[in-house]
Amino acid sequence: MRRIVVLTGSGISAESGIATFRDTGGVWAKYDFREVATSEGFAANPDLVHEFYNLRRHGLRAVEPNPAHFALAKLERELKVIGGLLTLVTQNVDDLHERSGSQNVLHMHGELLKSRCGDCEETFDQTDNLSVETKCMSCGAIGAIRPDVVWFGEIPRHMGETLTAIEKADLFVSIGTSGAVYPAAGFVAAARRAGAACIELNLEPSENACLFTDSRYGMAGEIVPQWVDETLAGFA
Ligand code: APR
Ligand code: ZN
């Protein structure tokens, strides 16, 4: 089991203090996703969308990676030493995987700390607030800059690389996701077709729990480091 694909969702960042989406009191209990996470919503009320992402971008300054993030960075490093490969695909737009030391992170839903110009498509590192007055540093357009995240109805990123890694994987691991949103929710079925073992590490069974060949339930900060250490010990 030297080629591992890990998919993470908001549950891996929950213990760092970042709200998940569908748990009680989660993000979608406070906001209507159609208003803040669709291109139609952005066109209708860009101020509301900028406020939504400015709050979340600013919130990143107050949070830190948790032991689950650090465990995946350790898995990536130690797999490389023994000639293995970890492909880490995240649905999350936070930077906690990178801040915990993961080198190769595929953000299939984009990143909070990046912005993109709707006119010239240039992308930028983004730490400050965005607004309808923000001017594109590349083409000069005003009001065309948006968060560089993938909204509902838009095409997720890195799908070719992700599906190729799944086809070659010995093991597919899903961490902290409800299995409610495709195409990420379909990765486990692709991994099963490819003959990979599939394990779910989550607080509770996800919507596609029945497709996994193994599962462990609990807080990611506890069960992910345990699982990583056991997996690495098995390679020794
Ligand atoms: N440890 C492990 N799992 C947890 C923890 C925790 N501390 N806290 C919550 N979870 C689990 C929940 O049980 C749930 O299954 O994390 C999952 C979070 O599910 P969602 O809130 O649906 O988040 P996610 O699966 O990441 O959503 C996918 O939907 O709205 C879009 O773009 C958004 O990327 C997001 C996508
Ligand atoms: Zn531009």
Side-chain angles (χ1 to χ4, degrees):
M1 273 203 264
R2 306 281 169 126
R3 288 187 304 253
I4 302 178
V5 175
V6 171
L7 168 69
T8 61
S10 61
I12 198 170
S13 298
E15 290 154 77
S16 297
I18 297 182
T20 60
F21 291 94
R22 295 170 185 81
D23 289 324
T24 310
V27 175
W28 298 144
K30 299 186 176 90
Y31 291 89
D32 178 341
F33 76 88
R34 289 162 299 193
E35 292 180 352
V36 294
T38 63
S39 50
E40 295 81 5
F42 185 59
N45 189 346
D47 290 324
L48 175 66
V49 175
H50 282 312
E51 180 198 333
F52 175 67
Y53 286 96
N54 288 344
L55 278 172
R56 293 172 70 201
R57 189 179 308 108
H58 189 74
L60 286 184
R61 298 176 189 173
V63 300
E64 296 294 331
N66 68 59
H69 296 104
F70 288 109
L72 292 183
K74 176 181 169 186
L75 179 66
E76 180 184 55
R77 282 193 306 275
E78 304 208 5
L79 262 183
K80 202 176 286 178
V81 167
I82 58 172
L85 176 67
L86 172 67
T87 300
L88 174 55
V89 188
T90 186
Q91 300 173 90
N92 301 338
V93 292
D94 64 54
D95 61 340
L96 296 182
H97 282 305
E98 289 86 350
R99 284 167 54 192
S100 62
S102 288
Q103 299 290 312
N104 178 27
V105 184
L106 301 178
H107 282 274
M108 64 182 290
H109 290 165
E111 297 177 68
L112 262 181
L113 295 178
K114 290 207 186 325
S115 57
R116 174 160 55 88
C117 176
D119 282 7
C120 69
E121 293 303 314
E122 186 66 57
T123 56
F124 308 92
D125 290 335
Q126 190 68 41
T127 50
D128 299 332
N129 285 349
L130 287 174
S131 79
V132 292
E133 275 90 49
T134 304
K135 182 177 179 182
C136 174
M137 303 306 283
S138 173
C139 74
I142 292 181
I145 300 284
R146 58 167 277 184
D148 192 26
V149 298
V150 177
W151 284 331
F152 288 94
E154 295 183 331
I155 301 179
R157 313 258 171 90
H158 310 294
M159 289 301 291
E161 185 176 353
T162 300
L163 293 173
T164 301
I166 289 174
E167 279 158 22
K168 295 178 181 162
D170 307 299
L171 177 63
F172 174 76
V173 192
S174 177
I175 302 174
T177 182
S178 62
V181 175
Y182 286 79
F187 289 171
V188 58
R192 289 293 299 271
R193 282 194 299 275
C198 298
I199 181 170
E200 171 170 74
L201 306 178
N202 208 49
L203 193 59
E204 61 197 7
S206 66
E207 293 187 18
N208 48 15
C210 60
L211 291 175
F212 290 88
T213 47
D214 188 5
S215 55
R216 296 191 191 176
Y217 297 116
M219 302 286 271
E222 289 160 27
I223 63 174
V224 174
Q226 276 167 5
W227 174 78
V228 165
D229 288 344
E230 282 172 29
T231 301
L232 290 172
F235 291 151

